[in-house]
Amino acid sequence: MNFEELGLSAPILEAIKDCGYDTPTPIQEKAIPHILMARDVVGLAQTGTGKTAGFTLPMIEILAGGRAKARMPRSLILSPTRELAAQIAENFDTYGKNSKLTKALLVGGSSMAEQIKILDRGADVLIATPGRLIDLFERGKILLNDIKILVIDEADRMLDMGFIPDIEKICSHLPPIRQTLLFSATMAPEIKKLTEKFLINPREVAVSPPASTAVTVQQFRVNVSPKGKNAVLEKIIKQEKVKTAFIFCNRKRDVDSLSKWLQGRGHDARPLHGDMAQVSRTKTLEEFKAGKIPLLVCSDVAARGIDVASVSHVFNYDVPGAPDDYVHRVGRTGRAGETGRAWMLVTKYDDKQLNAVIKRIGKEIEVVDMGGERSEPRTTSKDGAGKDGSGSKERSKPQSKPRVSASKPAHSAPKSPNVPQKKAPRTHDTSNDRADSAGFGDDVPDFFK
Ligand code: AMP
């Protein structure tokens, strides 16, 4: 199938051609015709599948005929994070460049006065995070009773971040007769309930999620002591031919301290997390996308949905607390047919999380000995860590010289009498830090404050 067959008009087809897209992706092929027929749609698709164009292209087509009125937008796209909202806005500009449609990006951390000015001039499309939208609505700066199309993007992420009550509140202010599109990587019971409540006889379209990490990414893990992490990370960075890399930490304070430490060692590293002012978050991300910063030390705020081309490496400074986050982190490299390498530092306190990751990706991760701390072998996990035996099927030679012991098991739970078993350090922090690792910025739900 090609784009012409989907029923899109010439100006949009022209814009698609300028993007260099030859054929629609599966989610575009499945969703666009239903959206153009004004149906409600539930799209089961992750980022990286082309879902943004899947809803943006038909929206532009549908809205092209009408006119924006001051403070009365005609469509609303809800996004869980500011970065993702900004990316959708960029996509909207790209695909809508031959239309006269206007947009307003309404996210926290940016000037509300500027956003109000844009709303006053009239915007066809609002692209918003729930917190800022509700804030503007409650101040009487937007009227939502002319919304004809609502898109709820990354609904599962909204759920993780506690935004479902906000979504319900927003929906209650929208006209009941409208078109609603909901995209989610998974269909948790809460998301299902949301679709039953707010969508009318929706068409379900699904594309198979990446069950695992891409084959274009070679994955390694290194056993380290908590205190030896920085040194081992630097050793790997020096050995690998790093072009651009994400270095993921679970905690914001580690993002800051690690990037400072790397800078002190002469590396061009920058931090990115939700406590930073929006202007520097945006600038850092833009510079990283442009290849001007080689090392981006970040929380998971950057892992979801953010599309950066040609990232050569992903480093997991910490084992992520949620195995899905590992898949998302690693998925930042090896995109668009390129190859990538992902490394993870594992301490003996990370056994549970490591097993969960291995279970999630369905294979072992090659162990590379970088001279870090070893500990007793991990007992083969009931959860599937050693499901496929030693799990060393996907072995490949690292670029550098490290000693590879692929079948070597992960760490066991702490056995040393010096290490209090009950007091293992948190690997996924609570409080504000955790809020950031979900990418809240200042759209942090109340229960995390
Ligand atoms: P998304 O899942 O919306 O974040 O899109 C992931 C990437 O796929 C983005 O870089 C898009 O520019 C790209 N993309 C979207 N649709 C197509 C297409 N039909 N052909 C090639 N690339 C596409």
Side-chain angles (χ1 to χ4, degrees):
M1 186 176 264
N2 56 37
F3 280 106
E4 282 79 5
E5 291 169 77
L6 289 178
L8 297 164
S9 61
I12 298 178
L13 292 173
E14 196 69 29
I16 294 170
K17 205 169 138 203
D18 292 347
C19 292
Y21 303 167
D22 297 329
T23 47
T25 65
I27 190 73
Q28 292 163 3
E29 199 175 308
K30 290 179 183 179
I32 291 175
H34 296 303
I35 302 174
L36 288 176
M37 280 190 282
R39 292 287 306 255
D40 283 3
V41 169
V42 173
L44 273 168
Q46 297 203 326
T47 43
T49 54
K51 72 175 162 60
T52 316
F55 61 77
T56 312
L57 295 170
M59 263 179 93
I60 296 169
E61 187 74 55
I62 294 167
L63 296 172
R67 276 271 193 103
K69 291 182 219 149
R71 296 190 186 191
M72 284 188 87
R74 296 188 290 145
S75 61
L76 170 62
I77 302 171
L78 290 173
S79 152
T81 66
R82 299 172 189 172
E83 277 75 11
L84 188 59
Q87 194 167 283
I88 295 170
E90 268 173 40
N91 277 240
F92 179 81
D93 287 343
T94 307
Y95 304 137
K97 65 178 189 179
N98 300 325
S99 78
K100 292 201 170 68
L101 297 175
T102 50
K103 62 150 204 302
L105 178 62
L106 309 178
V107 294
S110 304
S111 158
M112 201 182 261
E114 275 305 309
Q115 293 171 4
I116 293 169
K117 260 193 223 162
I118 296 170
L119 289 169
D120 285 345
R121 284 201 295 268
D124 296 288
V125 183
L126 299 184
I127 302 158
T129 47
R132 179 54 63 97
L133 183 84
I134 290 177
D135 201 349
L136 284 163
F137 178 78
E138 287 177 348
R139 287 165 193 248
K141 304 297 178 192
I142 329 169
L143 293 166
L144 295 175
N145 41 7
D146 202 28
I147 296 286
K148 296 186 172 60
I149 309 173
L150 166 70
V151 180
I152 303 168
D153 195 19
E154 305 246 331
D156 51 340
R157 195 65 171 164
M158 300 272 198
L159 174 68
D160 290 348
M161 293 168 70
F163 284 150
I164 299 298
D166 285 350
I167 306 276
E168 295 194 321
K169 189 171 181 179
I170 293 166
C171 285
S172 71
H173 293 292
L174 301 179
I177 305 296
R178 58 163 197 270
Q179 185 177 11
T180 306
L181 317 171
L182 179 142
F183 290 85
S184 188
T186 55
M187 196 39 73
E190 294 91 336
I191 309 283
K192 191 141 187 45
K193 257 191 220 151
L194 198 70
T195 62
E196 283 160 5
K197 197 165 168 193
F198 295 111
L199 279 73
I200 300 169
N201 192 20
R203 287 304 298 240
E204 235 184 64
V205 294
V207 291
S208 45
S212 167
T213 42
V215 287
T216 49
V217 183
Q218 290 178 286
Q219 298 167 63
F220 309 101
R221 64 183 165 95
V222 182
N223 293 328
V224 290
S225 68
K227 284 191 177 159
K229 280 184 161 188
N230 290 14
V232 170
L233 175 71
E234 191 188 25
K235 203 167 159 186
I236 304 170
I237 290 172
K238 281 185 176 164
Q239 287 184 171
E240 294 279 298
K241 291 192 187 90
V242 177
K243 207 169 117 208
T244 44
F246 282 104
I247 304 173
F248 284 102
C249 301
N250 288 357
R251 287 169 290 257
K252 281 183 287 190
R253 59 173 178 269
D254 290 340
V255 169
D256 282 329
S257 63
L258 179 62
S259 64
K260 274 197 198 110
W261 186 85
L262 286 166
Q263 285 162 10
R265 306 276 303 173
H267 299 278
D268 192 357
R270 292 298 169 77
L272 181 75
H273 62 69
D275 267 3
M276 291 163 53
Q278 187 59 35
V279 61
S280 47
R281 277 165 69 170
T282 307
K283 186 167 176 276
T284 302
L285 202 53
E286 271 169 12
E287 288 183 356
F288 183 67
K289 280 184 177 182
K292 290 180 190 159
I293 305 169
L295 301 176
L296 187 72
V297 187
C298 56
S299 61
D300 286 278
V301 73
R304 286 262 180 165
I306 301 302
D307 192 32
V308 183
S310 302
V311 172
S312 65
H313 287 75
V314 165
F315 297 103
N316 286 283
Y317 182 79
D318 299 302
V319 180
D324 277 354
D325 284 340
Y326 178 82
V327 177
H328 284 285
R329 289 177 179 187
V330 167
R332 298 304 99 206
T333 182
R335 289 164 85 82
E338 293 178 355
T339 53
R341 293 161 74 83
W343 289 76
M344 179 158 67
L345 305 184
V346 183
T347 74
K348 58 187 175 186
Y349 303 106
D350 298 327
D351 218 30
K352 205 170 144 210
Q353 289 82 1
L354 176 62
N355 282 338
V357 165
I358 291 170
K359 186 183 175 197
R360 171 69 177 82
I361 64 173
K363 64 184 181 195
E364 254 290 2
I365 302 169
E366 186 174 326
V367 181
V368 178
D369 184 358
M370 300 290 289
E373 181 192 84
R374 322 271 330 156
S375 73
E376 294 91 51
R378 177 178 55 128
T379 44
T380 304
S381 151
K382 272 191 231 121
D383 306 337
K387 223 174 175 179
D388 60 349
S390 71
S392 54
K393 284 179 193 153
E394 296 255 332
R395 242 166 274 161
S396 57
K397 266 230 157 296
Q399 281 170 350
S400 50
K401 287 190 220 114
R403 283 160 284 152
V404 177
S405 52
S407 57
K408 205 93 176 179
H411 291 291
S412 63
K415 294 254 167 63
S416 155
N418 299 329
V419 183
Q421 296 226 4
K422 282 181 194 152
K423 281 198 169 179
R426 285 180 310 205
T427 47
H428 211 62
D429 214 350
T430 55
S431 74
N432 214 15
D433 260 0
R434 179 166 142 212
D436 175 58
S437 77
F440 295 160
D442 54 34
D443 302 312
V444 179
D446 287 342
F447 64 82
F448 271 138
K449 285 177 182 164

